[in-house]
Amino acid sequence: MLTSTFFQANNTKILIFSGIVLLYIAIVASIALGPMDITLAQSMSALLPSQYRIDLPAHIELVIQQIRLPRTLLALSVGAILAICGTVMQGLFRNSLADPGIIGVSAGASLGAAIAIVMFGSLAELYPTLLLLGAVPLFSFMGGAITTIIVYHLGTSSNGTSVTMMLLAGVAISALAGAGLGLMNYYADDQALRDLSLWTMGSLAGANWLGIALSFVTLIVLFIVFYKDANKMDALLLGESEAKHLGIRVQRLKKKLILLTAVGVGVTVSLSGMIGFIGLIVPHLGRMLIGPRHKLLLPVSMVIGALLLLVSDMIARTVVAPLDMPVGIVTALIGAPFFMYLLVKQKGTLA
Amino acid sequence: MKNVISMHNVTLRFGNKTVLDKVNLSFNAGQLTAILGPNGTGKSSCLKVITQELPLKKSKDYELSYDNLTLFGESASHWQPNELAKSLGVLPQSSNLTFNFSVQEVIELGAIPLAVSTLQRDEIVNAMMKKVGVSHLADVRYPLLSGGEKQRVHLARVLTQLSVGGDKKILLLDEPTAALDIEYQHKVLILAKQLAQSGAAVIIVIHDLNLASQYADRLVILNKGHIVADGSPAEVITKQNISKVYQHNITIMAHPEKGYPLVL
């Protein structure tokens, strides 16, 4: 795959078109899929503005509005956030093995979320919104940010990032966060315990409209800021000195990127727990399609990430139907072998 | 001749090792200056002082201090990084870029500090690829190149970066010829020389005394933190200077056709 990329830059129109078509197909399928039978036609109609819709039976309308659509939208936005954060993180570490899950950032974020749930759990009945959109994402973000900074400082020197150090730091931090998470279980009451169990494998079952709003706002803000810095991230891939010689304020850029990826991971973890490997796989697929330039890679990753998590969630909903499996199991089943494949490919160069 | 870089009383110390000891140096526009000296004598550090990569601070195991460092007559710290990048380019010793950019994309990175349209950028990039001789590699993925090809790609990138700098140009080259075969060693130095003749200040850190002697207008030899020789090749490449600095008995003779001194 090194010799060429699948698409040339001038094929962007085809790329945008196929992205939209694939997203549409996936959304329609996702709404139609589940224990209650909803036809593809009903699903397509539910996506139209109200004056064009066919009348749906009330119970189907309810299931679509309350369950299927929220879950679909959450999958899309969380997948997209994880994918662009993975892309940025790989650029920041100048290494294509970086991923929020693998280097322990998700673990740190989920510890933050767990602390918030246990600390503020008693307030949940009085102020559910404050907890869902306030304390949990905030603590989750702080956990993610602290972890990223630690891993970055452990793994990076002026010569770039040492993969070994980065991965080992991730192992250490994941273990530490896992212990903290275990500790939180003992302080948690029943409700909090149920919430905590969600964090360990990652699930989109808790989708609600407030959470969806939060994740889409996060996605839009992150995308705009990352996109503006796309060229600078390209330059950073040359090395920090080289980026500095190109007039880029490297320290400032790095801080900004670390902070924003932590925001992205924090928000996704607070909404759907630890969903691994999306941030690892998607940038690779994106680079195979259109090459490593961030101006194209970021939007392409965003779309692939949304698609990948949505399809994974559809699998999670169907393989053990009528039960509902955490989507993190599916992404790990796809992602972990992919990670091993990347390790084998880089075997000679790891140091 | 216009002075474009000047540094006064530069001291650089790592731990107990003083790399530069109260060094004064200045560089002129229109000159190709080669900095020579044994390994570990602060040649590359000199370049890093100019690019302000090394922090200006003093602690137990590190010190960088100077009275002043001016670039184009203005204090270096007053320059906006983005503005300075149009006038100050650095060709690194090596780059560990592992992502699969095409050669053209790598060279386009040189246009980041420039405020030019895509059309203008493509024009500049094409011209620089031609100048350096990498046009035929434009669509090849960078990680597949040989060391020498990579080096030339980065030279084209840096030349792109300096393409709108006007008469304010500094090019720093850190051992640019190390990875190159003899043909491209000369090509790179000819390009550097042309750039100097067009008015840029070109500073090159190099080990090959004969290449330096052939192309540079001025040679500076650093040893143990001090400048031990500074002048034209004929003034600097003497049996006494070279034997002392490199602790090796050598013979100097003039090039049979061109007359510049050769070290045997």
Side-chain angles (χ1 to χ4, degrees), chain A residues 2 241 244-245 249 293, chain B residues 52-53 80 105 141 161:
Chain A
L2 278 179
S241 308
K244 192 171 184 294
H245 298 154
R249 294 175 197 268
R293 276 187 308 175
Chain B
Q52 301 174 75
E53 262 169 87
Q80 288 293 316
E105 285 168 347
R141 297 285 132 187
Q161 182 187 339

Side-chain angles (χ1 to χ4, degrees), chain A residues 321-338:
Chain A
L323 291 176
D324 189 356
M325 182 166 86
V327 69
I329 294 179
V330 179
T331 61
L333 282 173
I334 305 169
F338 187 81

Side-chain angles (χ1 to χ4, degrees), chain A residues 139-187:
Chain A
F139 273 64
S140 183
F141 151 69
M142 290 195 291
I146 292 168
T147 325
T148 316
I149 292 165
I150 295 174
V151 174
Y152 193 87
H153 281 283
L154 281 176
T156 310
S157 66
S158 57
N159 301 323
T161 302
S162 149
V163 195
T164 320
M165 279 304 287
M166 177 184 79
L167 296 179
L168 290 178
V171 170
I173 284 178
S174 296
L176 199 63
L181 213 58
L183 191 65
M184 285 301 127
N185 281 329
Y186 289 95
Y187 290 108

